[in-house]
Amino acid sequence: MRVLCLDVGEKRIGVAVSDPLSITAQGVETIFTKGPEKDAWRVRELCGQYLTDRVLIGLPRTLNGEEGYQAQRVRDFARRLSLFDLNVRFQDERFTTRSATRALIEGHMRREKRKEVVDMLAATLILQTFLDAGGWPEENGEKSETPRKKVYAMSDGKEFNMEQDDIVELVDEDGKEVSFEHLMTLEHKGNTYICLAPVEPDDDIGEDELVILRIDTDEDGNDAYVTIDDDEELDDVFEKYLEIAEADED
C-alpha cells in the first residue's frame, strides 16, 4: 500500500506519495492552506485517490530534539486526520526544508517558483528517508489494525466526575485497562460524548490519537463508553469538539 507524506507549514502543505511497493517517493502537490478543516478534507481526498489510509507527517523539532509551537500545530492537524480513520505516523523533519531549499537553489530555480515547490520537495525527502529506513512496519508482515468498535467501562467500578477528574481509567471487554486524559464531555443530538487522549500509546491507540466515545447504558444500567463506527456521526461530534475547543481558546 502507498504512503502519503505531508510537510505541514502555516501557509503551505507539501504532499508526496510512495509507489505501491513503498520503495520510492515522488511529489504530488502543494496545498495552499485554507484552514485546518478544508486542508484535512483535501488530504482525505488524496488518500482516496491513491487508495491508502497511511499518512506520514514530518514533525518539526528544535536542534535539541524538543517540540515547540509548530510541532503542536502539526499534532493538532494529525488528530483531525485520525478522525477520518487514517493511520497517521510521524517522521523527524529537522533540516528537511532547508535541504530542499538548498537543492532548488543549486538547480537555479527562481525564488518565486521555489515557494511553490519547496514544501512538496521537503515532503518527498521526508518520505524517502522513511522508506529507506524500512518504511511502514506492516509492509514486513506486522499488523496493527484493531476493531473499530470497542466498549469500555470504568476501572474497578469507579465513578468519573466530569468536572473534576483529568485522568480517566477505562477497561475494555478483554479486561485491558487504559488511562486517558479527559479533554471534554459534550452533548450532541441527544447523545453524550466524551473526548479523550491516551496518556501513553499502546498497540491499539496512538499517542496523538483523539478518542471520542459515546456514553451509552448497558443492560445493567451502568455507563458504557462505546467507540463510534458511523463516520458521519464521528465527523459531526469531532466538528462539535473543534467548535467548542476553538471558542474556549478565544
Side-chain angles (χ1 to χ4, degrees):
M1 184 181 293
R2 295 179 188 268
V3 179
L4 197 78
C5 181
L6 308 176
D7 178 49
V8 180
E10 294 188 13
K11 297 182 179 180
R12 299 178 300 273
I13 299 175
V15 184
V17 71
S18 73
D19 68 286
L21 298 179
S22 292
I23 297 174
T24 61
Q26 64 183 38
V28 173
E29 69 174 58
T30 298
I31 300 172
F32 290 87
T33 58
K34 299 178 181 178
E37 181 180 353
K38 291 183 178 179
D39 297 342
W41 274 101
R42 178 54 185 159
V43 173
R44 186 183 191 183
E45 289 175 353
L46 288 170
C47 286
Q49 178 180 333
Y50 288 101
L51 302 178
T52 184
D53 64 351
R54 297 174 178 175
V55 180
L56 181 72
I57 304 181
L59 186 65
R61 299 177 185 269
T62 62
L63 291 178
N64 59 7
E66 296 180 351
E67 296 183 15
Y69 168 74
Q70 182 59 23
Q72 185 57 53
R73 287 185 71 256
V74 170
R75 290 190 179 277
D76 289 343
F77 187 66
R79 290 189 182 97
R80 285 180 178 270
L81 297 179
S82 69
L83 265 293
F84 291 141
D85 206 23
L86 298 177
N87 193 348
V88 180
R89 295 189 178 178
F90 296 98
Q91 174 79 4
D92 191 336
E93 68 156 21
R94 276 176 286 183
F95 308 116
T96 305
T97 302
R98 195 174 303 175
S99 299
T101 302
R102 183 182 303 114
L104 295 175
I105 292 174
E106 291 175 353
H108 305 291
M109 181 172 288
R110 294 178 61 86
R111 180 186 298 271
E112 311 83 66
K113 186 64 176 178
R114 288 203 301 267
K115 291 181 179 181
E116 298 178 7
V117 299
V118 64
D119 300 283
M120 182 175 63
L121 179 55
T124 305
L125 294 175
I126 292 168
L127 180 55
Q128 192 62 59
T129 299
F130 176 77
L131 297 176
D132 291 344
W136 214 271
E138 285 81 355
E139 295 293 344
N140 299 321
E142 299 179 22
K143 295 183 65 177
S144 65
E145 293 188 14
T146 58
R148 180 73 181 277
K149 187 168 186 176
K150 298 186 71 173
V151 179
Y152 295 86
M154 292 301 299
S155 176
D156 296 327
K158 298 177 183 177
E159 293 186 1
F160 173 53
N161 186 324
M162 297 180 185
E163 296 182 353
Q164 297 179 5
D165 296 346
D166 292 328
I167 302 299
V168 186
E169 294 182 350
L170 301 180
V171 178
D172 65 17
E173 310 99 309
D174 300 322
K176 180 180 179 181
E177 186 170 295
V178 186
S179 295
F180 295 94
E181 178 187 358
H182 174 240
L183 302 177
M184 184 186 302
T185 299
L186 59 88
E187 302 285 336
H188 185 62
K189 294 184 178 179
N191 292 316
T192 302
Y193 301 88
I194 184 171
C195 304
L196 309 167
V199 173
E200 295 182 355
D202 63 13
D203 293 337
D204 293 345
I205 306 171
E207 61 178 336
D208 298 292
E209 184 172 351
L210 173 67
V211 179
I212 298 179
L213 305 177
R214 186 178 59 242
I215 303 179
D216 292 341
T217 303
D218 64 19
E219 58 185 14
D220 296 322
N222 300 315
D223 283 344
Y225 302 84
V226 184
T227 55
I228 304 168
D229 55 7
D230 184 291
D231 287 340
E232 184 175 351
E233 178 184 3
L234 189 61
D235 289 344
D236 283 349
V237 178
F238 179 56
E239 290 304 320
K240 183 71 173 180
Y241 163 80
L242 292 176
E243 177 184 329
I244 296 174
E246 290 170 1
D248 288 343
E249 288 181 1
D250 294 339

